[in-house]
Amino acid sequence: MRHLLSINDLDRQGIEQILDRAKTFTEVSEREIKKVPALRGRRVLNLFYESSTRTRSSFELAAKSLSADVINFAASGSAVDKGESLKDTVQTLSAYRPDLIVIRTPFVGAAELVAGWTTAGVVNAGDGKHEHPTQALLDVYTLRERLGSLEGANIWIVGDITHSRVARSCILAFQMMGAKVTVAGPPTLIPRGMEALCEVRYDLDDLAEADVVYALRMQNERMTDSFVPSLREYAARYQIDGRRLHPRQVLMHPGPVNRGVELAAEVIDSPQAVIGQQVEAGVVVRMAVLYDLLTGRNAPKPAITTAVPA
Ligand code: ASP
């Protein structure tokens, strides 16, 4: 693997390899000195054009735990505010010779464009409403830890499917791992043609059949219209609360949670919720992705080479 732009860059075996490696990295986090020299001397550039709490901090921690050097670049406060384009920014920062660029932007397809402008490996950390492959990988990791396997598991993804890059990557990854996926939400928040990809429901009447309930946030930042009459009415029909969530079900959410909208307080703190485990998995899974991209068969050549006299 040269870049990770979409879950479709992987197959089931590729996902399993990354997750098996991630599991071996859990041991590093348990040490007193939480660092191994695996990526010493390699440079990782975190390029974030959109806000992020979990993804950005866990990529930074992942790179540092593997001893890579990290450059954090946030678009706000940079020359992007002065009108510098994405291409010019990437080309400018390429002068620092990064081995890997982790990029998040509000633009669909931006990570793929960046992959065409640089010799570094590229990880898509979210491109608009398109994909967020490392989120899906950490979700599969969390479910493997909880259920043993996703084979035959019934997973319901509930909420704003239309604007969710997490939904797109998770549907692909969960199905690749053998799960049956159903999406549920208001008709205005489920893209047309979704039936070709998975089961579609417009209510939660049969939610009891799910083994896993994956709730999504309303992606207001990507909405140009109002898609639901009000958040209160949305919550009345689609909120996962103590009444709707069964004790045997697993509850997931990618964060950030809007308490009282897609999730009621009582389920966020329930034993069924694995939201904290998802965040924890983010570090080891991203360590495994960085490791794979920088040391695998198709890894880019190290940016800095030492000339050896003939
Ligand atoms: N953190 C996830 C994302 O960046 C989910 C969300 O923001 O609701 O897509």
Side-chain angles (χ1 to χ4, degrees), residues 239-279:
Q239 183 185 83
I240 308 300
D241 57 13
R243 200 169 38 95
R244 290 193 169 120
L245 190 72
H246 193 271
R248 73 167 185 87
Q249 292 175 318
V250 178
L251 176 67
M252 304 183 85
H253 192 295
V257 174
N258 282 160
R259 277 180 184 255
V261 182
E262 68 271 17
L263 294 182
E266 72 262 18
V267 298
I268 300 173
D269 306 315
S270 70
Q272 293 103 303
V274 292
I275 301 168
Q277 287 90 320
Q278 289 173 267
V279 177

Side-chain angles (χ1 to χ4, degrees), residues 50 54-55 104 132 135 165-166 217 219 221-222 253-256:
E50 248 191 17
R54 287 149 282 264
T55 306
R104 164 170 291 189
H132 190 357
Q135 174 73 45
R165 53 196 176 206
V166 173
R217 182 178 66 89
Q219 308 276 298
E221 69 274 32
R222 291 185 226 298
H253 192 295

Side-chain angles (χ1 to χ4, degrees), residues 25 28-29 31 33-40 57-70 283-284 286-287 290:
F25 284 141
V28 178
S29 302
R31 294 184 193 177
I33 310 286
K34 299 175 181 55
K35 219 181 199 7
V36 286
L39 298 182
R40 192 163 51 200
S57 56
S58 60
F59 264 114
E60 181 171 354
L61 204 53
K64 287 182 170 167
S65 304
L66 295 172
S67 304
D69 295 313
V70 184
V283 177
V284 285
R286 290 178 173 125
M287 282 169 83
L290 297 181

